Amino acid sequence: MATQRRWWPCPRRFLTVPADYQTFFQATVGAAGTLIGLLFVAVALRPETIYGDRASQRGQALAGSAFTSLVNAFFVSLVALLPGNNLGYVAALMAAFGMVATLRLRRTLGGNGFNNGFSLVTMGMYLAELATAGVLLANPALHHAIDTLVAILVVSLAVALGRAWMLLQGRHLPPEPVPQEQQAVQPGP
């Protein structure tokens, strides 16, 4: 049996992504790219409610957070497909980007109940990703850290998809007032 020679000049110690994960990362790149496109469609359907002078702060938060989560999953998965890379570098970079974006969004939107819970969950996800990136930087061959990163990417995609779905449903919009003629007339005593 002939030995297959790698075509890239990379020491074995830097190969962090096992072959078993290649299909997952390929699917994640495709899914995240597609969902980014669908997010742009969702924003295009109601642009005045997400960006602009009369835009809902909740809509801005949903769109911004969904976009950041999708970009995170896209780039981590894309770099995972490149041979010879330590996945810890891109995971750390994207986690830091996600945390900064979340903090900026939180500062811009203020601290109501929705934004507090929203920010807490998102920051927890990015902190877990940053910690996992640190483990991968210290030991690129530790496959349990890749398992953790994969779980974080799945959560990132699920959160982004949920937020994009909320935008499509218009949950960020204030309830429309009921016209006078449609309100039920209540009989007096």
Side-chain angles (χ1 to χ4, degrees), residues 54-87:
R54 297 186 335 235
S56 152
Q57 287 186 342
R58 187 173 180 182
Q60 290 176 358
L62 287 170
S65 181
F67 182 74
T68 303
S69 291
L70 290 171
V71 166
N72 175 48
F74 180 81
F75 280 109
V76 170
S77 298
L78 183 65
V79 171
L81 294 172
L82 300 174
N85 287 305
N86 184 327
L87 200 50

Side-chain angles (χ1 to χ4, degrees), residues 72 88-98 129-130 133:
N72 175 48
Y89 291 111
V90 70
L93 179 69
M94 294 311 298
F97 169 71
E129 183 175 357
L130 187 61

Side-chain angles (χ1 to χ4, degrees), residues 110-135:
N112 61 38
F114 173 77
N115 291 330
N116 288 338
F118 197 69
S119 297
L120 193 62
V121 168
T122 306
M123 285 299 286
M125 180 180 73
Y126 290 126
L127 284 171
E129 183 175 357
L130 187 61
T132 304
V135 171

Side-chain angles (χ1 to χ4, degrees), residues 82-162:
L82 300 174
N85 287 305
N86 184 327
L87 200 50
Y89 291 111
V90 70
L93 179 69
M94 294 311 298
F97 169 71
M99 286 189 287
V100 168
T102 301
L103 289 173
R104 285 184 63 207
L105 228 84
R106 172 132 170 70
R107 187 179 47 172
T108 302
L109 299 178
N112 61 38
F114 173 77
N115 291 330
N116 288 338
F118 197 69
S119 297
L120 193 62
V121 168
T122 306
M123 285 299 286
M125 180 180 73
Y126 290 126
L127 284 171
E129 183 175 357
L130 187 61
T132 304
V135 171
L136 283 170
L137 288 170
N139 186 356
L142 190 61
H143 292 221
H144 293 296
I146 296 172
D147 292 338
T148 303
L149 189 59
V150 163
I152 291 167
L153 292 178
V154 169
V155 169
S156 183
L157 286 171
V159 165
L161 185 59

Side-chain angles (χ1 to χ4, degrees), residues 173-184:
L173 301 173
E176 292 188 24
V178 178
Q180 283 278 0
E181 56 272 357
Q182 289 183 357
Q183 291 180 355

